[in-house]
Amino acid sequence: MSDMPLADPVAIDRDIACIFCGYNLRGLVPTGRCPECGSNIADSNRGDLLKFADPAWLNRIRFGTSLKLWNILLALLAGLAGAILVLLAGLSAFIPVIGLAAGAVGLWATFLITTQEPRISLHEDPVTLRKVIRTCALAAFVGSIIQQAVTVGRGLAFGQVDKLIAGFGAVLGLAGVVVMFGELVYFRRFALRIPDARLARSTRILLWAMPISIGLVAISAAIATFVGGWSLIATPGVSLTGSSKTGISAMVTTSTATLRSSASPLTTIAYGTVACVFSVAYLVFFIWYVVLLFRYKRFFRDAATESRALASVTAPAPPAQPPAN
C-alpha cells in the first residue's frame, strides 16, 4: 500500500514582516525562506514572545535590569554615606563622587535596557521612544556633572550661582521623570511578550503612579516654600566696642539672620502634612517598582534559557558524512 501524499503547506494569508529584514511574507509558505534575506520564515511566523528572541539580547536586558537595581542601592548608599561623612568627618567633597558613580551606573543600565533588538534590522525612525529615553538619560547625567562641579567649586558663595543650580535641578528632575516613564513603558512591552497580563497591569499602574507622585511631592513642596512665605529676615543688633579719647563711644552694628514665615502655623503644618502624604505614597510605589525589577530580571533569565533551548532544537542538523571506505 502506497503512502498517502502529504498536503502542501498552506501559504500565509496575512501581513507578517520578516523579523530580520522587514519583508512582507504574505503569500509565502511557512516552511520556506525569506526571498529578501534568506532567513527561515518560521522564525517570523511563530510570534513575538520573548522566548523566541535572541538569547544574547535577553541577557543584555537582564544585565541592564540588574544594574538598575544596583543604581538604586548606590543612590541610597550615597545619601547615607554623605550624611555620615558630613556629620562625623566633614568630608562633604566625597558626596558628589558617590552620587556621580551612582548616576553612571544608572546611565549604563538605561542604555542596556533600551538596546534595540538585533533581529530587527529595519531603519529606525528619527524619533523613537528608545532615542528619547537615551537622550534624556544622557542629558540628566551631564547636567548632574555640571551641577556637582558648580556646587563644589562655589564653596559657600550665594547669589546667581544658586539660581543656576536650582535651574539645573529642575531640568534634571524633568529628565529623570521622562526616563522613568519611558523605561516603564519598555518593561510593560516586555511583560506583554512574556506574556504576563498581571505583570503588565502592575507596570502600567506604576507607569502613571510614580511620575504623578513625584510631581505632587514637588508641587506640595513648592507651595509650602513659596506660598507659605518662608524667607530669611535679618534682625539688626547694636554692640558697644569701646570709647575714644573724645569720649564718643564707637558702636558696631550687627545683624542676625532668622527663618520666618508669613503664613500661619496651621497653614504651614497643612502644607507639610500634604507633602509627607505624597512622599509616603511615592515610597510605596518605589518599593513596588523595586519588586517588579526583580521579577523582570527573573523573567529575562528564564526567557533567555528557553530561547537557547529552542534554538538548539530547531537548529539544522549537520550534513551527513560519507561512509568511510
Side-chain angles (χ1 to χ4, degrees), residues 11-19 22-28 41 44-45 47:
I12 299 175
D13 59 353
R14 63 190 186 281
D15 291 336
I16 296 179
C18 176
I19 61 176
Y23 185 84
N24 192 348
L25 303 175
R26 186 186 185 98
L28 301 177
I41 294 178
S44 303
N45 193 37

Side-chain angles (χ1 to χ4, degrees), residues 125-312:
D125 294 333
V127 179
T128 60
L129 177 62
R130 188 179 74 90
K131 291 183 178 181
V132 171
I133 295 174
R134 289 188 167 193
T135 301
C136 289
L138 187 59
F141 181 68
V142 173
S144 177
I145 295 176
I146 298 175
Q147 184 184 26
Q148 296 293 348
V150 173
T151 303
V152 173
R154 75 188 181 99
L156 297 177
F158 295 92
Q160 296 297 327
V161 176
D162 291 295
K163 296 180 180 179
L164 179 63
I165 294 176
F168 272 124
V171 173
L172 294 180
L174 179 60
V177 171
V178 173
V179 173
M180 177 183 297
F181 183 87
E183 287 179 346
L184 286 172
V185 171
Y186 249 78
F187 280 120
R188 182 174 179 272
R189 292 176 179 177
F190 292 144
L192 294 175
R193 294 179 61 183
I194 291 174
D196 191 320
R198 184 177 179 181
L199 182 61
R201 184 167 55 253
S202 297
T203 307
R204 185 175 184 178
I205 294 174
L206 284 184
L207 188 150
W208 296 105
M210 292 191 69
I212 290 175
S213 59
I214 293 175
L216 291 176
V217 170
I219 293 173
S220 59
I223 292 176
T225 302
F226 297 103
V227 179
W230 289 97
S231 60
L232 283 174
I233 302 177
T235 304
V238 179
S239 61
L240 179 66
T241 60
S243 301
S244 64
K245 293 181 179 180
T246 59
I248 302 176
S249 299
M251 310 296 290
V252 177
T253 302
T254 62
S255 61
T256 303
T258 57
L259 187 64
R260 295 183 181 179
S261 174
S262 59
S264 64
L266 183 60
T267 302
T268 303
I269 293 175
Y271 288 144
T273 302
V274 172
C276 289
V277 170
F278 290 149
S279 299
V280 171
Y282 173 73
L283 179 61
V284 172
F285 291 134
F286 181 78
I287 296 174
W288 188 355
Y289 172 68
V290 172
V291 173
L292 282 186
L293 287 180
F294 276 105
R295 292 184 62 188
Y296 275 109
K297 179 182 175 182
R298 185 179 72 251
F299 279 124
F300 292 144
R301 181 197 60 200
D302 296 342
T305 302
E306 191 171 0
S307 177
R308 284 192 295 267
L310 290 173
S312 63

